[in-house]
Structure formats: structure tokens, C-alpha cells
Coordinates of all heavy atoms in Angstrom, one line a residue:
M3 N 37.8 125.8 172.1 CA 39.0 126.6 172.1 C 39.3 127.1 173.5 O 38.5 127.7 174.1 CB 38.7 127.8 171.1 CG 39.9 128.6 170.8 SD 39.5 129.7 169.5 CE 41.0 130.6 169.4
P4 N 40.5 126.9 173.9 CA 40.9 127.3 175.3 C 40.9 128.8 175.4 O 41.2 129.5 174.5 CB 42.2 126.6 175.5 CG 42.8 126.4 174.2 CD 41.6 126.2 173.3
D5 N 40.8 129.3 176.6 CA 40.8 130.7 176.9 C 42.3 131.2 176.7 O 43.2 130.6 177.3 CB 40.3 130.9 178.3 CG 40.2 132.4 178.6 OD1 39.9 133.2 177.7 OD2 40.3 132.8 179.8
M6 N 42.4 132.3 176.0 CA 43.8 132.8 175.7 C 44.4 133.4 176.9 O 45.6 133.3 177.1 CB 43.7 133.9 174.6 CG 43.4 133.3 173.2 SD 44.6 132.1 172.6 CE 45.9 133.2 172.2
S7 N 43.6 134.0 177.8 CA 44.2 134.6 179.0 C 44.8 133.6 179.9 O 45.8 133.8 180.6 CB 43.1 135.5 179.7 OG 42.1 134.7 180.1
A8 N 44.2 132.4 180.0 CA 44.7 131.3 180.8 C 46.1 130.9 180.3 O 47.0 130.6 181.1 CB 43.7 130.2 180.9
S9 N 46.2 130.7 179.0 CA 47.5 130.3 178.4 C 48.5 131.4 178.5 O 49.7 131.1 178.8 CB 47.3 129.9 177.0 OG 46.9 131.0 176.2
V10 N 48.1 132.6 178.4 CA 49.1 133.7 178.6 C 49.6 133.8 180.1 O 50.8 133.9 180.3 CB 48.5 135.1 178.2 CG1 49.3 136.2 178.6 CG2 48.2 135.1 176.7
S11 N 48.7 133.7 181.0 CA 49.1 133.7 182.4 C 50.0 132.5 182.8 O 50.9 132.6 183.5 CB 47.9 133.8 183.3 OG 47.1 132.6 183.2
L12 N 49.7 131.3 182.1 CA 50.5 130.2 182.4 C 51.9 130.4 181.8 O 52.9 130.1 182.5 CB 49.9 128.9 181.7 CG 50.6 127.6 181.9 CD1 50.6 127.2 183.4 CD2 50.0 126.5 181.1
A13 N 52.0 131.0 180.7 CA 53.3 131.3 180.1 C 54.1 132.3 180.9 O 55.3 132.2 181.1 CB 53.2 131.8 178.6
V14 N 53.4 133.3 181.4 CA 54.0 134.4 182.2 C 54.6 133.8 183.5 O 55.7 134.1 184.0 CB 53.1 135.5 182.5 CG1 53.6 136.5 183.5 CG2 52.8 136.3 181.2
T15 N 53.8 132.9 184.1 CA 54.3 132.3 185.4 C 55.5 131.4 185.2 O 56.4 131.3 186.1 CB 53.2 131.4 186.0 OG1 52.8 130.4 185.1 CG2 52.0 132.2 186.5
H16 N 55.7 130.8 184.0 CA 56.9 130.1 183.7 C 58.1 131.0 183.4 O 59.2 130.7 183.6 CB 56.7 129.1 182.6 CG 55.9 128.0 182.9 ND1 56.3 127.0 183.8 CD2 54.6 127.6 182.5 CE1 55.3 126.1 183.9 NE2 54.3 126.4 183.2
L17 N 57.8 132.2 182.9 CA 58.9 133.1 182.5 C 59.4 134.0 183.7 O 60.5 134.5 183.6 CB 58.4 134.0 181.4 CG 58.2 133.3 180.0 CD1 57.7 134.3 179.0 CD2 59.5 132.7 179.5
V18 N 58.6 134.2 184.7 CA 58.9 135.0 185.8 C 60.2 134.5 186.5 O 61.1 135.3 186.8 CB 57.8 135.2 186.8 CG1 58.2 135.9 188.1 CG2 56.7 136.1 186.1
P19 N 60.3 133.2 186.8 CA 61.5 132.7 187.4 C 62.8 132.9 186.5 O 63.9 133.1 187.0 CB 61.3 131.2 187.7 CG 59.8 131.1 187.7 CD 59.3 132.1 186.8
L20 N 62.6 132.8 185.2 CA 63.7 133.0 184.3 C 64.2 134.4 184.3 O 65.4 134.7 184.2 CB 63.3 132.6 182.9 CG 63.0 131.1 182.6 CD1 62.5 130.9 181.2 CD2 64.3 130.3 182.9
A21 N 63.2 135.4 184.5 CA 63.6 136.8 184.5 C 64.4 137.1 185.7 O 65.2 138.0 185.7 CB 62.3 137.6 184.4
K22 N 64.2 136.4 186.8 CA 64.9 136.7 188.0 C 66.4 136.2 187.9 O 67.2 136.7 188.6 CB 64.2 136.1 189.2 CG 62.9 136.7 189.6 CD 62.2 136.1 190.7 CE 60.9 136.7 191.0 NZ 60.2 136.1 192.1
E23 N 66.6 135.3 187.1 CA 67.9 134.7 186.9 C 68.9 135.6 186.1 O 70.1 135.4 186.1 CB 67.9 133.3 186.4 CG 67.2 132.3 187.3 CD 67.0 130.9 186.6 OE1 67.6 130.7 185.5 OE2 66.3 130.1 187.2
V24 N 68.3 136.5 185.3 CA 69.1 137.3 184.4 C 69.8 138.4 185.2 O 69.3 139.0 186.0 CB 68.2 138.0 183.3 CG1 69.0 138.9 182.5 CG2 67.5 136.9 182.5
D25 N 71.1 138.4 184.9 CA 72.0 139.5 185.6 C 71.7 140.8 184.8 O 72.0 140.9 183.6 CB 73.4 139.1 185.5 CG 74.3 140.0 186.2 OD1 73.8 140.9 187.0 OD2 75.6 139.9 186.1
E26 N 71.2 141.8 185.5 CA 70.8 143.0 184.9 C 72.0 143.8 184.4 O 71.9 144.7 183.6 CB 70.0 143.9 185.9 CG 68.7 143.3 186.2 CD 67.9 144.1 187.2 OE1 68.3 145.2 187.6 OE2 66.8 143.6 187.6
N27 N 73.2 143.5 184.9 CA 74.4 144.2 184.4 C 75.0 143.6 183.2 O 75.9 144.2 182.6 CB 75.5 144.2 185.5 CG 75.0 144.9 186.8 OD1 74.3 145.9 186.6 ND2 75.4 144.5 187.9
K28 N 74.5 142.4 182.8 CA 75.1 141.8 181.6 C 74.1 141.5 180.5 O 74.3 140.7 179.7 CB 75.7 140.4 182.0 CG 76.9 140.5 183.0 CD 77.4 139.2 183.3 CE 78.6 139.3 184.2 NZ 79.2 138.0 184.5
V29 N 73.0 142.3 180.5 CA 72.0 142.1 179.5 C 72.5 142.7 178.2 O 72.9 143.9 178.1 CB 70.6 142.8 179.9 CG1 69.6 142.7 178.8 CG2 70.1 142.1 181.2
T30 N 72.4 141.9 177.1 CA 72.8 142.4 175.8 C 71.7 142.1 174.8 O 70.8 141.4 175.0 CB 74.1 141.6 175.3 OG1 73.7 140.2 175.2 CG2 75.2 141.8 176.3
P31 N 71.8 142.7 173.6 CA 70.7 142.5 172.6 C 70.7 141.1 172.1 O 69.7 140.6 171.7 CB 71.1 143.5 171.5 CG 72.2 144.4 172.0 CD 72.7 143.8 173.2
G32 N 71.8 140.4 172.1 CA 71.9 139.0 171.7 C 71.8 138.8 170.2 O 71.9 139.7 169.4
V33 N 71.5 137.6 169.8 CA 71.5 137.2 168.4 C 70.3 137.9 167.7 O 70.4 138.3 166.6 CB 71.4 135.7 168.3 CG1 71.3 135.2 166.8 CG2 72.7 135.0 168.9
L34 N 69.2 137.9 168.4 CA 68.0 138.5 167.7 C 68.2 140.0 167.4 O 67.9 140.5 166.4 CB 66.8 138.3 168.6 CG 65.5 138.9 168.1 CD1 65.1 138.2 166.8 CD2 64.4 138.9 169.1
G35 N 68.9 140.7 168.3 CA 69.2 142.1 168.1 C 70.1 142.3 166.9 O 70.0 143.2 166.1
F36 N 71.1 141.4 166.8 CA 72.0 141.4 165.7 C 71.3 141.2 164.4 O 71.6 141.8 163.4 CB 73.2 140.4 165.9 CG 74.1 140.4 164.7 CD1 75.0 141.4 164.5 CD2 74.0 139.3 163.8 CE1 75.8 141.3 163.3 CE2 74.8 139.2 162.7 CZ 75.8 140.2 162.5
I37 N 70.5 140.2 164.4 CA 69.7 139.8 163.2 C 68.8 141.0 162.7 O 68.8 141.3 161.5 CB 68.9 138.5 163.4 CG1 69.9 137.3 163.5 CG2 67.9 138.3 162.2 CD1 69.2 136.1 163.9
V38 N 68.1 141.6 163.7 CA 67.3 142.7 163.3 C 68.1 143.9 162.8 O 67.7 144.5 161.8 CB 66.4 143.2 164.6 CG1 65.7 144.5 164.3 CG2 65.4 142.1 164.9
F39 N 69.2 144.2 163.4 CA 70.1 145.3 163.0 C 70.6 144.9 161.6 O 70.7 145.8 160.7 CB 71.2 145.5 164.0 CG 72.1 146.6 163.6 CD1 71.8 147.9 163.8 CD2 73.4 146.3 163.0 CE1 72.6 148.9 163.4 CE2 74.2 147.4 162.6 CZ 73.8 148.7 162.8
A40 N 71.1 143.7 161.3 CA 71.6 143.3 160.0 C 70.6 143.4 158.9 O 70.9 143.9 157.8 CB 72.2 141.9 160.1
V41 N 69.3 143.0 159.2 CA 68.3 143.1 158.2 C 68.0 144.6 157.9 O 67.8 145.0 156.7 CB 67.0 142.4 158.7 CG1 65.8 142.7 157.9 CG2 67.2 140.9 158.7
M42 N 68.0 145.4 158.9 CA 67.7 146.8 158.7 C 68.9 147.5 157.9 O 68.6 148.3 157.0 CB 67.5 147.6 160.0 CG 66.2 147.3 160.7 SD 66.0 147.9 162.3 CE 66.5 149.6 162.2
A43 N 70.1 147.1 158.2 CA 71.2 147.6 157.4 C 71.2 147.2 156.0 O 71.4 148.0 155.1 CB 72.5 147.1 158.1
L44 N 70.8 145.9 155.7 CA 70.7 145.5 154.4 C 69.6 146.2 153.6 O 69.7 146.5 152.4 CB 70.5 143.9 154.3 CG 71.7 143.1 154.6 CD1 71.3 141.6 154.7 CD2 72.8 143.3 153.6
A45 N 68.5 146.4 154.3 CA 67.4 147.1 153.7 C 67.8 148.6 153.3 O 67.4 149.0 152.2 CB 66.1 147.2 154.6
V46 N 68.5 149.2 154.2 CA 68.9 150.6 153.9 C 69.9 150.6 152.7 O 69.8 151.5 151.8 CB 69.5 151.3 155.2 CG1 70.2 152.6 154.8 CG2 68.4 151.5 156.2
W47 N 70.8 149.6 152.7 CA 71.8 149.5 151.6 C 71.1 149.3 150.3 O 71.4 149.9 149.3 CB 72.7 148.4 151.9 CG 73.7 148.2 150.8 CD1 74.8 148.9 150.5 CD2 73.7 147.1 149.8 NE1 75.5 148.4 149.4 CE2 74.8 147.3 149.0 CE3 72.8 146.1 149.6 CZ2 75.0 146.4 147.9 CZ3 73.0 145.3 148.5 CH2 74.1 145.4 147.7
G48 N 70.1 148.4 150.3 CA 69.3 148.2 149.1 C 68.5 149.4 148.6 O 68.5 149.7 147.4
L49 N 67.9 150.1 149.5 CA 67.2 151.3 149.2 C 68.1 152.4 148.6 O 67.8 153.1 147.7 CB 66.4 151.9 150.4 CG 65.2 151.1 150.8 CD1 64.7 151.6 152.1 CD2 64.1 151.2 149.7
M50 N 69.3 152.5 149.2 CA 70.3 153.5 148.7 C 70.8 153.2 147.3 O 70.9 154.0 146.5 CB 71.4 153.7 149.7 CG 71.1 154.3 151.0 SD 70.5 156.0 150.9 CE 72.1 156.8 150.5
K51 N 71.0 151.9 147.1 CA 71.5 151.4 145.8 C 70.4 151.7 144.7 O 70.7 152.1 143.6 CB 71.8 149.9 145.8 CG 72.5 149.4 144.6 CD 73.0 148.0 144.8 CE 73.7 147.6 143.5 NZ 74.4 146.4 143.7
S52 N 69.1 151.4 145.1 CA 68.0 151.6 144.2 C 67.8 153.1 143.9 O 67.6 153.5 142.8 CB 66.7 151.0 144.8 OG 65.6 151.3 144.0
M53 N 68.0 153.9 144.9 CA 67.8 155.4 144.7 C 68.9 155.9 143.8 O 68.6 156.7 143.0 CB 67.9 156.1 146.1 CG 67.6 157.6 146.0 SD 67.8 158.5 147.5 CE 69.6 158.4 147.7
S54 N 70.1 155.5 144.0 CA 71.2 156.0 143.2 C 71.0 155.5 141.7 O 71.3 156.3 140.8 CB 72.6 155.5 143.7 OG 72.7 154.1 143.6
K55 N 70.5 154.3 141.5 CA 70.2 153.9 140.1 C 69.1 154.7 139.5 O 69.2 155.1 138.3 CB 69.7 152.4 140.2 CG 69.5 151.8 138.8 CD 69.3 150.3 138.8 CE 67.9 150.0 139.3 NZ 67.5 148.6 139.1
H56 N 68.1 155.1 140.2 CA 67.0 155.9 139.7 C 67.4 157.3 139.5 O 67.0 158.0 138.6 CB 65.8 155.8 140.6 CG 65.0 154.6 140.5 ND1 64.2 154.2 139.5 CD2 65.0 153.5 141.4 CE1 63.7 153.1 139.7 NE2 64.1 152.6 140.8
M57 N 68.3 157.8 140.4 CA 68.8 159.2 140.2 C 69.7 159.4 139.0 O 69.7 160.4 138.4 CB 69.5 159.6 141.5 CG 68.7 159.8 142.7 SD 67.4 161.1 142.5 CE 68.4 162.5 142.7
R58 N 70.4 158.3 138.6 CA 71.2 158.4 137.4 C 70.3 158.5 136.1 O 70.7 159.1 135.1 CB 72.0 157.1 137.2 CG 73.3 157.2 138.0 CD 74.2 156.1 137.7 NE 74.5 155.4 138.9 CZ 74.3 154.1 139.2 NH1 73.8 153.3 138.3 NH2 74.6 153.6 140.3
K59 N 69.1 158.1 136.2 CA 68.2 158.1 135.1 C 67.5 159.5 134.9 O 66.9 159.8 133.9 CB 67.1 157.1 135.2 CG 67.6 155.7 135.1 CD 66.4 154.7 135.2 CE 66.9 153.3 135.2 NZ 65.8 152.3 135.4
V60 N 67.5 160.3 136.0 CA 66.9 161.6 136.0 C 67.6 162.6 135.1 O 68.8 162.7 135.2 CB 66.7 162.2 137.4 CG1 66.1 163.5 137.4 CG2 65.8 161.2 138.2
D61 N 66.9 163.3 134.2 CA 67.5 164.4 133.4 C 67.3 165.7 134.1 O 66.1 166.2 134.3 CB 66.8 164.4 132.0 CG 67.4 165.4 131.1 OD1 68.6 165.8 131.4 OD2 66.8 165.8 130.1
F62 N 68.3 166.3 134.6 CA 68.2 167.5 135.3 C 68.1 168.8 134.5 O 67.9 169.9 135.0 CB 69.4 167.7 136.3 CG 69.3 166.7 137.4 CD1 70.1 165.6 137.5 CD2 68.4 166.9 138.5 CE1 70.0 164.7 138.5 CE2 68.3 166.0 139.5 CZ 69.1 164.9 139.5
K63 N 68.4 168.7 133.2 CA 68.3 169.8 132.3 C 66.9 170.1 131.9 O 66.1 169.3 131.5 CB 69.1 169.6 131.0 CG 70.6 169.4 131.3 CD 71.3 169.1 130.0 CE 72.8 168.8 130.3 NZ 73.5 168.4 129.1
E64 N 66.5 171.4 132.1 CA 65.1 171.8 131.8 C 65.0 172.0 130.3 O 65.8 172.6 129.7 CB 64.7 173.1 132.6 CG 64.6 172.9 134.0 CD 64.2 174.1 134.7 OE1 63.6 175.0 134.0 OE2 64.4 174.3 135.9
S65 N 63.8 171.6 129.8 CA 63.5 171.8 128.4 C 63.0 173.3 128.3 O 62.3 173.7 129.2 CB 62.5 170.8 127.8 OG 61.3 170.9 128.6
P66 N 63.3 173.9 127.2 CA 62.8 175.3 127.1 C 61.2 175.3 127.0 O 60.6 174.5 126.4 CB 63.4 175.8 125.8 CG 63.8 174.6 125.0 CD 64.0 173.5 126.0
D67 N 60.7 176.3 127.7 CA 59.2 176.4 127.8 C 58.8 177.3 126.6 O 59.0 178.5 126.6 CB 58.8 177.0 129.1 CG 57.3 176.9 129.3 OD1 56.6 176.3 128.5 OD2 56.8 177.5 130.3
T68 N 58.2 176.7 125.6 CA 57.8 177.5 124.4 C 56.7 178.5 124.6 O 56.6 179.5 124.0 CB 57.5 176.6 123.2 OG1 56.4 175.7 123.6 CG2 58.7 175.7 122.8
E69 N 55.8 178.1 125.5 CA 54.6 179.0 125.8 C 55.0 180.3 126.5 O 54.4 181.3 126.3 CB 53.6 178.2 126.7 CG 52.9 177.1 125.9 CD 51.9 176.4 126.8 OE1 51.5 176.9 127.9 OE2 51.4 175.4 126.4
A70 N 56.0 180.2 127.4 CA 56.5 181.4 128.1 C 57.2 182.3 127.2 O 57.2 183.5 127.5 CB 57.4 180.9 129.3
E71 N 57.8 181.9 126.1 CA 58.6 182.7 125.2 C 57.7 183.5 124.3 O 58.1 184.5 123.8 CB 59.6 181.9 124.5 CG 60.7 181.3 125.3 CD 61.6 180.4 124.6 OE1 61.5 180.3 123.4 OE2 62.5 179.8 125.2
Q72 N 56.5 183.0 123.9 CA 55.7 183.7 123.0 C 55.0 184.9 123.6 O 54.5 184.8 124.7 CB 54.6 182.7 122.5 CG 55.1 181.6 121.7 CD 54.0 180.6 121.3 OE1 52.9 180.8 121.7 NE2 54.4 179.6 120.5
P73 N 55.0 186.0 123.0 CA 54.4 187.2 123.6 C 52.9 187.1 123.6 O 52.3 186.6 122.6 CB 54.9 188.4 122.7 CG 55.2 187.7 121.4 CD 55.7 186.3 121.7
R74 N 52.3 187.4 124.7 CA 50.8 187.4 124.7 C 50.3 188.7 124.4 O 50.8 189.8 124.7 CB 50.4 187.0 126.2 CG 50.8 185.7 126.6 CD 50.3 185.3 127.9 NE 50.7 184.0 128.3 CZ 50.4 183.5 129.5 NH1 49.8 184.2 130.4 NH2 50.8 182.2 129.8
P75 N 49.1 188.7 123.7 CA 48.5 190.0 123.3 C 48.0 190.7 124.6 O 47.5 190.1 125.5 CB 47.4 189.6 122.4 CG 47.1 188.2 122.6 CD 48.4 187.6 123.2
K76 N 48.2 192.0 124.6 CA 47.7 192.8 125.8 C 46.2 193.0 125.7 O 45.6 193.0 124.6 CB 48.4 194.1 125.8 CG 49.9 194.0 126.0 CD 50.6 195.3 126.2 CE 52.0 195.2 126.4 NZ 52.7 196.5 126.5
A77 N 45.6 193.1 126.8 CA 44.2 193.3 126.9 C 43.7 194.6 126.3 O 42.7 194.8 125.7 CB 43.7 193.2 128.3
D78 N 44.6 195.7 126.4 CA 44.2 197.0 125.8 C 44.2 197.0 124.3 O 43.3 197.7 123.7 CB 45.2 198.1 126.3 CG 45.2 198.3 127.8 OD1 44.1 198.0 128.4 OD2 46.1 198.7 128.4
S79 N 45.0 196.2 123.7 CA 45.0 196.2 122.2 C 43.8 195.5 121.6 O 43.5 195.7 120.5 CB 46.3 195.6 121.7 OG 46.4 194.2 122.1
Q80 N 43.2 194.6 122.4 CA 42.0 193.9 121.9 C 40.7 194.7 122.0 O 39.8 194.4 121.3 CB 41.9 192.5 122.6 CG 43.0 191.6 122.3 CD 42.8 190.3 123.0 OE1 42.0 190.2 123.9 NE2 43.6 189.3 122.7
R81 N 40.7 195.7 122.9 CA 39.4 196.4 123.1 C 39.0 197.2 121.9 O 37.9 197.4 121.6 CB 39.6 197.3 124.3 CG 39.5 196.5 125.6 CD 39.5 197.4 126.8 NE 39.7 196.7 128.0 CZ 39.8 197.2 129.2 NH1 39.7 198.5 129.3 NH2 40.0 196.5 130.2
G82 N 39.9 197.8 121.2 CA 39.7 198.5 119.9 C 39.2 199.8 120.1 O 38.8 200.8 119.9

């Protein structure tokens, strides 16, 4: 198995001349940036749609608490 650092350094030496050719005033996100942004936008849209579907199922009305309505016996009345 070849050494990974040698292949990385070889790749970097080929990319360094390409980096010097890039005009720093005209750097844009490009197609990859658009694709990442579009995927993130679709994910957020899907999550919001799912959340609204689940929120429609939620019953916001509280059921009456029967235990709270029953009077509890006082400690003084039990001592006798």
C-alpha cells in the first residue's frame, strides 16, 4: 500500500499552480455551492412540512385532571 502522505503531497503540488491562476476578485461558490444550498433548502422545506403535519395531529385541549379535583383528607382529621 503506498504512503498516503506521498500521494497527498503529489496532489497538492499539482493544485498549487491552479490556485495561482484563480482571479481572487472573481471567486464564486460555483455549482457545488448551489447544489449544497439547494439540498439544504429542500431539507428545511421537508422538515417544515413534516412538522406542520405533526402539529395538526396535536390536541391542545387539556383533559380535566380528576385527581386534582377530589378533596384530600387533612392530616389533622386522621389523628383522632
Side-chain angles (χ1 to χ4, degrees):
M3 187 168 176
D5 188 29
M6 291 299 287
S7 62
S9 62
V10 170
S11 65
L12 182 64
V14 169
T15 56
H16 287 293
L17 290 176
V18 169
L20 293 175
K22 291 180 182 177
E23 295 175 9
V24 174
D25 185 10
E26 294 179 4
N27 295 327
K28 294 183 181 180
V29 176
T30 62
V33 176
L34 180 64
F36 174 75
I37 290 171
V38 169
F39 182 78
V41 167
M42 287 174 47
L44 285 173
V46 168
W47 177 77
L49 287 170
M50 293 295 289
K51 188 170 181 172
S52 174
M53 184 186 69
S54 66
K55 184 172 78 171
H56 286 285
M57 291 298 283
R58 276 190 237 122
K59 294 179 183 179
V60 175
D61 182 22
F62 289 104
K63 295 178 184 174
E64 292 185 18
S65 60
D67 191 8
T68 57
E69 292 180 12
E71 293 175 5
Q72 296 176 355
R74 294 184 179 175
K76 295 183 179 179
D78 294 336
S79 63
Q80 290 180 351
R81 286 188 191 176

